[in-house]
Amino acid sequence: MLSHEQIWEAIDRLAERHDLTPSGLARRAGLDPTSFNKSKRLSADGRLRWPSTESIAKVLDATGANMEQFLAFMRPSANSSAGLPGERAKPPHGGAIPLLGFAQAGAGGFFDDGGFPAGQGWDVVEFPAAPSQKSVVYALEVQGESMMPLYRDGDVLIVEPGAQVRRNDRVVVRTRDGEVMAKVLLRQSSRSIELMSLNPEHPNRTLDLSDVEWIARIIWASQ
């Protein structure tokens, strides 16, 4: 059973992940800025106050996180039996996750069947996430200006290959021909996906699913 302390800790850590205070996170989600203040977590008579499911849903929508990721922000005792589904080998060290450039991502032999970097020797970047999540995410460094104005050369995108993707999610897609692109998912059917370009100077794309090697959701960007 989830405890009052674990729920609030997950909110605090989600705020930290996005370089926000709890009040900043509430503001981004369209809530009263004081909604997540520590003074609001207990009533005047000492009773526990819990965040509403509506508030949590708004926070997840505002940050692009899903419930599985939210649960991963709770202390290890809440998830000690197992990591996230699809968990792979431990990250290189500490809070580090693999870092690749888009050119490396387009080259052959660097990924397993799930779209996660294979092998060792990658550059790494620090990423503040729960230990169970660090082994299922990695970083891609933007190279060039093709993703302007949203992403610039040198920006780092954190992607999660195993995450469920939904309409309007920002995603990285790799085709079987080795092309790697960051787009917005407009629509996905049983046969194809429609992608909107981040740069208005580049056309939208429609790809047959048979031509897609993997698709990974962008869960965070350093900008």
Side-chain angles (χ1 to χ4, degrees), residues 124-163:
V124 297
V125 63
E126 292 294 319
F127 180 60
S132 60
Q133 189 184 20
K134 288 172 185 171
S135 60
V136 294
V137 299
Y138 64 93
L140 285 172
E141 183 176 2
V142 174
Q143 297 167 328
E145 307 298 330
S146 65
M147 301 174 203
M148 292 278 286
L150 188 58
Y151 301 132
R152 295 172 171 80
D153 185 59
D155 285 346
V156 173
L157 311 181
I158 307 299
V159 300
E160 184 177 359

mmCIF file of all heavy atoms in Angstrom, residues 124-163:
data_model
loop_
_atom_site.group_PDB
_atom_site.id
_atom_site.type_symbol
_atom_site.label_atom_id
_atom_site.label_comp_id
_atom_site.label_asym_id
_atom_site.label_seq_id
_atom_site.Cartn_x
_atom_site.Cartn_y
_atom_site.Cartn_z
ATOM 1 N N VAL A 124 28.646 9.164 -20.958
ATOM 2 C CA VAL A 124 27.532 9.131 -20.012
ATOM 3 C C VAL A 124 27.158 10.550 -19.613
ATOM 4 O O VAL A 124 27.928 11.492 -19.772
ATOM 5 C CB VAL A 124 27.870 8.299 -18.749
ATOM 6 C CG1 VAL A 124 28.120 6.845 -19.096
ATOM 7 C CG2 VAL A 124 29.060 8.895 -18.011
ATOM 8 N N VAL A 125 25.957 10.691 -19.086
ATOM 9 C CA VAL A 125 25.479 11.961 -18.576
ATOM 10 C C VAL A 125 24.704 11.687 -17.302
ATOM 11 O O VAL A 125 24.052 10.645 -17.175
ATOM 12 C CB VAL A 125 24.589 12.681 -19.623
ATOM 13 C CG1 VAL A 125 23.347 11.873 -19.929
ATOM 14 C CG2 VAL A 125 24.216 14.083 -19.159
ATOM 15 N N GLU A 126 24.807 12.580 -16.329
ATOM 16 C CA GLU A 126 24.074 12.408 -15.082
ATOM 17 C C GLU A 126 22.593 12.723 -15.316
ATOM 18 O O GLU A 126 22.244 13.677 -16.013
ATOM 19 C CB GLU A 126 24.632 13.341 -14.001
ATOM 20 C CG GLU A 126 26.039 12.989 -13.547
ATOM 21 C CD GLU A 126 26.105 11.657 -12.838
ATOM 22 O OE1 GLU A 126 25.190 11.385 -12.041
ATOM 23 O OE2 GLU A 126 27.056 10.900 -13.060
ATOM 24 N N PHE A 127 21.743 11.897 -14.724
ATOM 25 C CA PHE A 127 20.303 12.103 -14.869
ATOM 26 C C PHE A 127 19.622 11.772 -13.558
ATOM 27 O O PHE A 127 19.715 10.642 -13.076
ATOM 28 C CB PHE A 127 19.746 11.221 -15.993
ATOM 29 C CG PHE A 127 18.265 11.389 -16.202
ATOM 30 C CD1 PHE A 127 17.735 12.618 -16.532
ATOM 31 C CD2 PHE A 127 17.401 10.310 -16.071
ATOM 32 C CE1 PHE A 127 16.372 12.783 -16.731
ATOM 33 C CE2 PHE A 127 16.035 10.463 -16.266
ATOM 34 C CZ PHE A 127 15.528 11.702 -16.599
ATOM 35 N N PRO A 128 18.932 12.756 -12.931
ATOM 36 C CA PRO A 128 18.312 12.523 -11.622
ATOM 37 C C PRO A 128 17.012 11.754 -11.726
ATOM 38 O O PRO A 128 15.953 12.321 -11.972
ATOM 39 C CB PRO A 128 18.054 13.953 -11.115
ATOM 40 C CG PRO A 128 17.855 14.761 -12.366
ATOM 41 C CD PRO A 128 18.754 14.135 -13.397
ATOM 42 N N ALA A 129 17.085 10.442 -11.559
ATOM 43 C CA ALA A 129 15.890 9.596 -11.612
ATOM 44 C C ALA A 129 16.037 8.476 -10.598
ATOM 45 O O ALA A 129 17.119 8.236 -10.065
ATOM 46 C CB ALA A 129 15.703 9.029 -13.015
ATOM 47 N N ALA A 130 14.946 7.794 -10.344
ATOM 48 C CA ALA A 130 14.980 6.650 -9.445
ATOM 49 C C ALA A 130 15.898 5.572 -10.021
ATOM 50 O O ALA A 130 15.986 5.408 -11.236
ATOM 51 C CB ALA A 130 13.570 6.094 -9.260
ATOM 52 N N PRO A 131 16.597 4.818 -9.173
ATOM 53 C CA PRO A 131 17.503 3.782 -9.667
ATOM 54 C C PRO A 131 16.847 2.823 -10.637
ATOM 55 O O PRO A 131 17.458 2.399 -11.618
ATOM 56 C CB PRO A 131 17.960 3.070 -8.386
ATOM 57 C CG PRO A 131 17.840 4.120 -7.326
ATOM 58 C CD PRO A 131 16.626 4.927 -7.704
ATOM 59 N N SER A 132 15.595 2.463 -10.410
ATOM 60 C CA SER A 132 14.921 1.523 -11.295
ATOM 61 C C SER A 132 14.677 2.104 -12.678
ATOM 62 O O SER A 132 14.580 1.372 -13.659
ATOM 63 C CB SER A 132 13.587 1.090 -10.683
ATOM 64 O OG SER A 132 12.741 2.202 -10.478
ATOM 65 N N GLN A 133 14.596 3.445 -12.764
ATOM 66 C CA GLN A 133 14.325 4.058 -14.064
ATOM 67 C C GLN A 133 15.599 4.275 -14.863
ATOM 68 O O GLN A 133 15.572 4.287 -16.098
ATOM 69 C CB GLN A 133 13.593 5.390 -13.892
ATOM 70 C CG GLN A 133 13.097 5.970 -15.222
ATOM 71 C CD GLN A 133 12.450 7.320 -15.076
ATOM 72 O OE1 GLN A 133 12.652 8.021 -14.099
ATOM 73 N NE2 GLN A 133 11.675 7.695 -16.063
ATOM 74 N N LYS A 134 16.730 4.456 -14.186
ATOM 75 C CA LYS A 134 17.964 4.777 -14.896
ATOM 76 C C LYS A 134 18.389 3.678 -15.852
ATOM 77 O O LYS A 134 19.106 3.924 -16.815
ATOM 78 C CB LYS A 134 19.081 5.065 -13.886
ATOM 79 C CG LYS A 134 18.894 6.400 -13.177
ATOM 80 C CD LYS A 134 19.891 6.563 -12.050
ATOM 81 C CE LYS A 134 19.615 7.847 -11.277
ATOM 82 N NZ LYS A 134 20.416 7.937 -10.051
ATOM 83 N N SER A 135 17.980 2.457 -15.590
ATOM 84 C CA SER A 135 18.386 1.358 -16.451
ATOM 85 C C SER A 135 17.467 1.184 -17.656
ATOM 86 O O SER A 135 17.669 0.274 -18.452
ATOM 87 C CB SER A 135 18.446 0.054 -15.645
ATOM 88 O OG SER A 135 17.190 -0.236 -15.090
ATOM 89 N N VAL A 136 16.442 2.024 -17.806
ATOM 90 C CA VAL A 136 15.546 1.899 -18.955
ATOM 91 C C VAL A 136 15.462 3.193 -19.753
ATOM 92 O O VAL A 136 14.579 3.352 -20.592
ATOM 93 C CB VAL A 136 14.132 1.454 -18.529
ATOM 94 C CG1 VAL A 136 14.170 0.053 -17.965
ATOM 95 C CG2 VAL A 136 13.520 2.424 -17.532
ATOM 96 N N VAL A 137 16.352 4.129 -19.475
ATOM 97 C CA VAL A 137 16.400 5.366 -20.243
ATOM 98 C C VAL A 137 17.831 5.610 -20.709
ATOM 99 O O VAL A 137 18.786 5.059 -20.162
ATOM 100 C CB VAL A 137 15.916 6.581 -19.408
ATOM 101 C CG1 VAL A 137 14.477 6.404 -18.967
ATOM 102 C CG2 VAL A 137 16.817 6.839 -18.206
ATOM 103 N N TYR A 138 17.972 6.436 -21.737
ATOM 104 C CA TYR A 138 19.295 6.884 -22.156
ATOM 105 C C TYR A 138 19.162 8.258 -22.787
ATOM 106 O O TYR A 138 18.043 8.787 -22.943
ATOM 107 C CB TYR A 138 19.966 5.884 -23.108
ATOM 108 C CG TYR A 138 19.265 5.676 -24.432
ATOM 109 C CD1 TYR A 138 19.613 6.431 -25.560
ATOM 110 C CD2 TYR A 138 18.280 4.715 -24.580
ATOM 111 C CE1 TYR A 138 18.978 6.224 -26.777
ATOM 112 C CE2 TYR A 138 17.650 4.498 -25.790
ATOM 113 C CZ TYR A 138 18.003 5.264 -26.886
ATOM 114 O OH TYR A 138 17.367 5.056 -28.081
ATOM 115 N N ALA A 139 20.293 8.877 -23.123
ATOM 116 C CA ALA A 139 20.303 10.249 -23.612
ATOM 117 C C ALA A 139 20.784 10.307 -25.061
ATOM 118 O O ALA A 139 21.685 9.570 -25.459
ATOM 119 C CB ALA A 139 21.206 11.108 -22.731
ATOM 120 N N LEU A 140 20.166 11.195 -25.838
ATOM 121 C CA LEU A 140 20.591 11.483 -27.200
ATOM 122 C C LEU A 140 20.933 12.964 -27.297
ATOM 123 O O LEU A 140 20.143 13.815 -26.868
ATOM 124 C CB LEU A 140 19.480 11.153 -28.202
ATOM 125 C CG LEU A 140 19.222 9.679 -28.504
ATOM 126 C CD1 LEU A 140 17.962 9.535 -29.354
ATOM 127 C CD2 LEU A 140 20.419 9.071 -29.240
ATOM 128 N N GLU A 141 22.096 13.272 -27.855
ATOM 129 C CA GLU A 141 22.494 14.663 -28.024
ATOM 130 C C GLU A 141 22.108 15.150 -29.410
ATOM 131 O O GLU A 141 22.438 14.524 -30.421
ATOM 132 C CB GLU A 141 23.999 14.825 -27.823
ATOM 133 C CG GLU A 141 24.457 16.274 -27.908
ATOM 134 C CD GLU A 141 25.935 16.432 -27.611
ATOM 135 O OE1 GLU A 141 26.609 15.410 -27.380
ATOM 136 O OE2 GLU A 141 26.420 17.584 -27.603
ATOM 137 N N VAL A 142 21.367 16.260 -29.444
ATOM 138 C CA VAL A 142 20.930 16.835 -30.711
ATOM 139 C C VAL A 142 22.137 17.359 -31.471
ATOM 140 O O VAL A 142 23.007 18.035 -30.902
ATOM 141 C CB VAL A 142 19.913 17.972 -30.465
ATOM 142 C CG1 VAL A 142 19.555 18.668 -31.769
ATOM 143 C CG2 VAL A 142 18.664 17.421 -29.786
ATOM 144 N N GLN A 143 22.187 17.054 -32.756
ATOM 145 C CA GLN A 143 23.280 17.505 -33.611
ATOM 146 C C GLN A 143 22.697 18.203 -34.833
ATOM 147 O O GLN A 143 21.898 17.629 -35.562
ATOM 148 C CB GLN A 143 24.154 16.312 -34.029
ATOM 149 C CG GLN A 143 24.825 15.634 -32.830
ATOM 150 C CD GLN A 143 25.444 14.278 -33.170
ATOM 151 O OE1 GLN A 143 24.939 13.566 -34.019
ATOM 152 N NE2 GLN A 143 26.538 13.950 -32.514
ATOM 153 N N GLY A 144 23.062 19.453 -35.015
ATOM 154 C CA GLY A 144 22.538 20.208 -36.150
ATOM 155 C C GLY A 144 21.317 21.028 -35.778
ATOM 156 O O GLY A 144 20.915 21.108 -34.613
ATOM 157 N N GLU A 145 20.735 21.644 -36.796
ATOM 158 C CA GLU A 145 19.633 22.585 -36.581
ATOM 159 C C GLU A 145 18.294 22.073 -37.104
ATOM 160 O O GLU A 145 17.329 22.831 -37.193
ATOM 161 C CB GLU A 145 19.969 23.925 -37.271
ATOM 162 C CG GLU A 145 21.316 24.516 -36.899
ATOM 163 C CD GLU A 145 21.423 24.842 -35.414
ATOM 164 O OE1 GLU A 145 20.374 25.156 -34.813
ATOM 165 O OE2 GLU A 145 22.537 24.790 -34.867
ATOM 166 N N SER A 146 18.205 20.797 -37.457
ATOM 167 C CA SER A 146 16.992 20.293 -38.097
ATOM 168 C C SER A 146 15.789 20.237 -37.157
ATOM 169 O O SER A 146 14.654 20.083 -37.616
ATOM 170 C CB SER A 146 17.246 18.899 -38.691
ATOM 171 O OG SER A 146 17.527 17.968 -37.665
ATOM 172 N N MET A 147 16.024 20.351 -35.837
ATOM 173 C CA MET A 147 14.914 20.276 -34.881
ATOM 174 C C MET A 147 14.573 21.638 -34.282
ATOM 175 O O MET A 147 13.820 21.728 -33.314
ATOM 176 C CB MET A 147 15.247 19.280 -33.768
ATOM 177 C CG MET A 147 15.523 17.896 -34.285
ATOM 178 S SD MET A 147 16.065 16.786 -32.984
ATOM 179 C CE MET A 147 16.949 15.563 -33.969
ATOM 180 N N MET A 148 15.171 22.684 -34.845
ATOM 181 C CA MET A 148 14.829 24.041 -34.406
ATOM 182 C C MET A 148 13.355 24.306 -34.715
ATOM 183 O O MET A 148 12.812 23.769 -35.683
ATOM 184 C CB MET A 148 15.713 25.040 -35.152
ATOM 185 C CG MET A 148 17.183 24.981 -34.768
ATOM 186 S SD MET A 148 17.502 25.907 -33.256
ATOM 187 C CE MET A 148 17.380 27.593 -33.854
ATOM 188 N N PRO A 149 12.681 25.153 -33.962
ATOM 189 C CA PRO A 149 13.204 25.925 -32.821
ATOM 190 C C PRO A 149 13.070 25.212 -31.479
ATOM 191 O O PRO A 149 13.509 25.734 -30.463
ATOM 192 C CB PRO A 149 12.305 27.168 -32.849
ATOM 193 C CG PRO A 149 10.985 26.636 -33.313
ATOM 194 C CD PRO A 149 11.315 25.561 -34.326
ATOM 195 N N LEU A 150 12.477 24.014 -31.462
ATOM 196 C CA LEU A 150 12.236 23.345 -30.186
ATOM 197 C C LEU A 150 13.523 22.833 -29.564
ATOM 198 O O LEU A 150 13.788 23.037 -28.382
ATOM 199 C CB LEU A 150 11.246 22.191 -30.379
ATOM 200 C CG LEU A 150 10.758 21.510 -29.102
ATOM 201 C CD1 LEU A 150 10.087 22.517 -28.176
ATOM 202 C CD2 LEU A 150 9.811 20.367 -29.435
ATOM 203 N N TYR A 151 14.333 22.121 -30.355
ATOM 204 C CA TYR A 151 15.593 21.592 -29.863
ATOM 205 C C TYR A 151 16.738 22.163 -30.693
ATOM 206 O O TYR A 151 16.661 22.200 -31.926
ATOM 207 C CB TYR A 151 15.611 20.062 -29.949
ATOM 208 C CG TYR A 151 14.509 19.390 -29.164
ATOM 209 C CD1 TYR A 151 13.728 18.388 -29.732
ATOM 210 C CD2 TYR A 151 14.243 19.755 -27.841
ATOM 211 C CE1 TYR A 151 12.713 17.767 -29.015
ATOM 212 C CE2 TYR A 151 13.231 19.140 -27.123
ATOM 213 C CZ TYR A 151 12.475 18.150 -27.714
ATOM 214 O OH TYR A 151 11.475 17.542 -27.003
ATOM 215 N N ARG A 152 17.800 22.559 -29.999
ATOM 216 C CA ARG A 152 18.956 23.157 -30.651
ATOM 217 C C ARG A 152 20.160 22.232 -30.580
ATOM 218 O O ARG A 152 20.193 21.303 -29.780
ATOM 219 C CB ARG A 152 19.287 24.509 -30.005
ATOM 220 C CG ARG A 152 18.200 25.559 -30.202
ATOM 221 C CD ARG A 152 18.482 26.822 -29.389
ATOM 222 N NE ARG A 152 17.564 27.895 -29.746
ATOM 223 C CZ ARG A 152 16.331 27.999 -29.303
ATOM 224 N NH1 ARG A 152 15.854 27.084 -28.475
ATOM 225 N NH2 ARG A 152 15.556 29.003 -29.685
ATOM 226 N N ASP A 153 21.137 22.518 -31.402
ATOM 227 C CA ASP A 153 22.376 21.747 -31.414
ATOM 228 C C ASP A 153 22.973 21.708 -30.007
ATOM 229 O O ASP A 153 23.151 22.748 -29.370
ATOM 230 C CB ASP A 153 23.367 22.396 -32.390
ATOM 231 C CG ASP A 153 24.638 21.573 -32.534
ATOM 232 O OD1 ASP A 153 24.544 20.402 -32.940
ATOM 233 O OD2 ASP A 153 25.725 22.112 -32.235
ATOM 234 N N GLY A 154 23.248 20.499 -29.507
ATOM 235 C CA GLY A 154 23.818 20.340 -28.172
ATOM 236 C C GLY A 154 22.813 20.034 -27.084
ATOM 237 O O GLY A 154 23.209 19.618 -25.990
ATOM 238 N N ASP A 155 21.512 20.241 -27.343
ATOM 239 C CA ASP A 155 20.506 19.855 -26.356
ATOM 240 C C ASP A 155 20.543 18.341 -26.151
ATOM 241 O O ASP A 155 20.873 17.585 -27.076
ATOM 242 C CB ASP A 155 19.095 20.250 -26.816
ATOM 243 C CG ASP A 155 18.830 21.744 -26.680
ATOM 244 O OD1 ASP A 155 19.618 22.423 -26.007
ATOM 245 O OD2 ASP A 155 17.831 22.217 -27.262
ATOM 246 N N VAL A 156 20.226 17.901 -24.947
ATOM 247 C CA VAL A 156 20.220 16.471 -24.621
ATOM 248 C C VAL A 156 18.788 16.023 -24.378
ATOM 249 O O VAL A 156 18.074 16.616 -23.569
ATOM 250 C CB VAL A 156 21.094 16.163 -23.394
ATOM 251 C CG1 VAL A 156 20.954 14.703 -22.968
ATOM 252 C CG2 VAL A 156 22.559 16.486 -23.687
ATOM 253 N N LEU A 157 18.371 14.989 -25.089
ATOM 254 C CA LEU A 157 17.038 14.425 -24.947
ATOM 255 C C LEU A 157 17.133 13.115 -24.170
ATOM 256 O O LEU A 157 17.944 12.252 -24.509
ATOM 257 C CB LEU A 157 16.404 14.157 -26.313
ATOM 258 C CG LEU A 157 16.444 15.284 -27.348
ATOM 259 C CD1 LEU A 157 15.736 14.834 -28.633
ATOM 260 C CD2 LEU A 157 15.825 16.554 -26.806
ATOM 261 N N ILE A 158 16.307 12.960 -23.155
ATOM 262 C CA ILE A 158 16.228 11.696 -22.422
ATOM 263 C C ILE A 158 15.061 10.908 -22.992
ATOM 264 O O ILE A 158 13.939 11.406 -23.040
ATOM 265 C CB ILE A 158 16.024 11.919 -20.918
ATOM 266 C CG1 ILE A 158 17.084 12.872 -20.358
ATOM 267 C CG2 ILE A 158 16.050 10.580 -20.178
ATOM 268 C CD1 ILE A 158 18.506 12.381 -20.500
ATOM 269 N N VAL A 159 15.331 9.696 -23.443
ATOM 270 C CA VAL A 159 14.294 8.884 -24.081
ATOM 271 C C VAL A 159 14.120 7.571 -23.345
ATOM 272 O O VAL A 159 15.052 7.052 -22.728
ATOM 273 C CB VAL A 159 14.619 8.615 -25.572
ATOM 274 C CG1 VAL A 159 14.718 9.919 -26.347
ATOM 275 C CG2 VAL A 159 15.907 7.826 -25.730
ATOM 276 N N GLU A 160 12.897 7.053 -23.407
ATOM 277 C CA GLU A 160 12.567 5.779 -22.758
ATOM 278 C C GLU A 160 11.949 4.859 -23.796
ATOM 279 O O GLU A 160 10.770 4.996 -24.135
ATOM 280 C CB GLU A 160 11.606 6.002 -21.598
ATOM 281 C CG GLU A 160 11.297 4.724 -20.835
ATOM 282 C CD GLU A 160 10.399 4.958 -19.634
ATOM 283 O OE1 GLU A 160 10.032 6.114 -19.371
ATOM 284 O OE2 GLU A 160 10.068 3.964 -18.969
ATOM 285 N N PRO A 161 12.721 3.904 -24.325
ATOM 286 C CA PRO A 161 12.219 3.037 -25.403
ATOM 287 C C PRO A 161 10.985 2.231 -25.029
ATOM 288 O O PRO A 161 10.124 2.003 -25.874
ATOM 289 C CB PRO A 161 13.407 2.118 -25.692
ATOM 290 C CG PRO A 161 14.598 2.855 -25.203
ATOM 291 C CD PRO A 161 14.125 3.635 -24.017
ATOM 292 N N GLY A 162 10.886 1.783 -23.795
ATOM 293 C CA GLY A 162 9.772 0.906 -23.429
ATOM 294 C C GLY A 162 8.501 1.618 -23.038
ATOM 295 O O GLY A 162 7.483 0.961 -22.782
ATOM 296 N N ALA A 163 8.519 2.944 -22.994
ATOM 297 C CA ALA A 163 7.338 3.681 -22.539
ATOM 298 C C ALA A 163 6.237 3.657 -23.594
ATOM 299 O O ALA A 163 6.503 3.700 -24.795
ATOM 300 C CB ALA A 163 7.712 5.125 -22.228
#
